[in-house]
Amino acid sequence: TRRLRPVAALACAWAVGAWLAPAQAQTVMKIGYSTAKDSHYGVGSTVFCDEVAKGTGGRYSCQHFPNAALGGEREMIEAVQLGTQDLVNSSTGPLGNFVPEVKVVDIPFLFRDYDHARHTLDGPIGQDLLKKMHAKGLPGLAWTENGFRHMTNSKRPIVKATDAAGLKLRTMENKVHMEGYKTFGLLPTPMAWPEVFTALQQGTVDGQENPIPVILSAKFAQVQKHLSLTGHVYSPAVLIVSPAIWSKLSDADKKVFTEAAQKGAAAQRRKVNDDEANGIAQLKKDGMQVVEKVDGDSFRKAVAPAFANFAKEFGADRIAAIQAVR
Ligand code: EAX
């Protein structure tokens, strides 16, 4: 009997194997976020991408674009909607301009604490908002997290709302924030994230507000003297995939992506917790003067009248439903 030589046998097996299982297409997805790879966004995105690669046997993987390398959050969300970018891990800052129903979660002093925010977003209210995003061509996979926002500025310590009055403060491109911050007497100046460091450095604005993980990652201690732990608004974030990718996924792959996003979100939130616990000491070392005991009631009182408008715009019942979450 004739026997194939080993090399020929191998080649033959490879050819048959390749024919039975055609070479799998491999998709490398571009994922963008505002801060560094070792920040909360980078940590969450990395866990998500690793889980997707594992769960799809390497058919899907990521190329990371940290530090707003693909642009500001408004630009990235737009690109994901168009399919020219595959993934974004973004705050809700500009998201309400695409999906108006999301704006309700940007109301100042809406969430009591991290548990309240996370329970709301992981529960029926947050999951319903993800569906609203899908309907607008922005498939939201899971609520990640940016964190409670605190004010920094170059002029003076902010203890109460009247201390904030008159300061020119960079805000996100978010009407709900701007409306709320006006009640503190601040002069809100909307600006895309990539411009913020330079604007602070050159004094175009007096201050800005962001969660501790962002203040750390963006090295704002280099350009801002004062930090006040105002926690005036919770800043949700969400992992969004382009409809171009999503619509091509099998149901099994969709499940892999969704579960990966949930794991990424958990990791991102753990990093926010860590930064909240350890970051303030670091910022002090970096030279910031930190007001830890802020008169929160002075801010809550100031913003209370704006809630009438928020109720008109979003429905008093929807706001109350969020406030009622335990
Ligand atoms: O999401 O623009 C902002 O201030 C955001 O908090 C930042 O891009 C991270």
Side-chain angles (χ1 to χ4, degrees), residues 42-310:
V43 167
S45 301
T46 299
V47 167
F48 166 76
C49 292
D50 288 351
E51 290 293 321
V52 163
K54 225 194 290 167
T56 63
R59 284 179 290 113
Y60 288 90
S61 59
C62 299
Q63 185 183 3
H64 288 252
F65 292 85
N67 296 312
L70 297 177
E73 293 184 328
R74 186 176 46 74
E75 289 169 280
M76 288 195 284
I77 291 169
E78 206 164 54
V80 165
Q81 200 177 37
L82 291 170
T84 54
Q85 179 177 331
D86 304 305
L87 293 154
V88 64
N89 195 347
S90 171
S91 82
T92 52
L95 188 58
N97 302 323
F98 298 83
V99 189
E101 293 91 339
V102 169
K103 281 196 264 184
V104 68
V105 296
D106 295 320
I107 295 176
F109 292 109
L110 175 67
F111 294 109
R112 293 180 300 276
D113 51 30
Y114 277 103
D115 279 347
H116 181 204
R118 293 167 181 177
H119 287 158
T120 304
L121 295 171
D122 293 344
I125 293 174
Q127 298 312 296
D128 183 56
L129 289 175
L130 292 182
K131 284 196 197 112
K132 298 262 165 33
M133 291 178 57
H134 276 258
K136 291 277 157 65
L138 287 169
L141 297 178
W143 293 100
T144 55
E145 186 164 79
N146 198 13
F148 275 92
R149 302 178 80 89
H150 306 293
M151 295 176 195
T152 71
N153 81 93
S154 58
K155 299 279 180 197
R156 54 180 174 263
I158 297 174
V159 180
K160 51 192 186 307
T162 48
D163 300 328
L167 290 175
K168 199 166 166 196
L169 190 92
R170 176 269 174 176
T171 69
M172 297 197 285
E173 297 155 287
N174 184 300
K175 293 226 169 80
V176 180
H177 284 185
M178 291 173 69
E179 190 177 335
Y181 303 172
K182 273 185 201 153
T183 69
F184 308 146
L186 286 165
L187 309 173
T189 307
M191 189 184 291
W193 171 251
E195 292 158 42
V196 178
F197 189 92
T198 308
L200 294 170
Q201 194 170 39
Q202 298 183 343
T204 318
V205 290
D206 300 318
Q208 64 85 45
E209 40 84 62
N210 251 303
I212 298 296
V214 176
I215 295 170
L216 281 168
S217 182
K219 304 197 173 6
F220 282 161
Q222 292 178 5
V223 286
Q224 297 275 271
K225 185 78 194 156
H226 302 283
L227 165 64
S228 288
L229 303 182
T230 46
H232 53 277
V233 72
Y234 177 74
S235 188
V238 63
L239 222 159
I240 312 173
V241 61
S242 81
I245 296 276
W246 185 250
S247 62
K248 273 192 293 200
L249 296 180
S250 67
D251 285 349
D253 282 349
K254 281 182 177 164
K255 189 159 175 264
V256 168
F257 271 58
T258 304
E259 287 174 4
Q262 285 158 358
K263 284 190 188 153
Q268 190 158 328
R269 289 171 180 182
R270 279 196 298 275
K271 176 65 174 150
V272 172
N273 288 348
D274 282 357
D275 285 350
E276 287 271 0
N278 307 313
I280 294 159
Q282 181 59 48
L283 292 169
K284 283 182 190 165
K285 262 194 222 146
D286 296 343
M288 289 191 107
Q289 283 182 20
V290 185
V291 177
E292 302 193 49
K293 284 216 173 87
V294 170
D295 177 359
D297 280 343
S298 72
F299 285 96
R300 272 185 217 98
K301 260 185 220 144
V303 80
F307 270 71
N309 275 344
F310 294 143

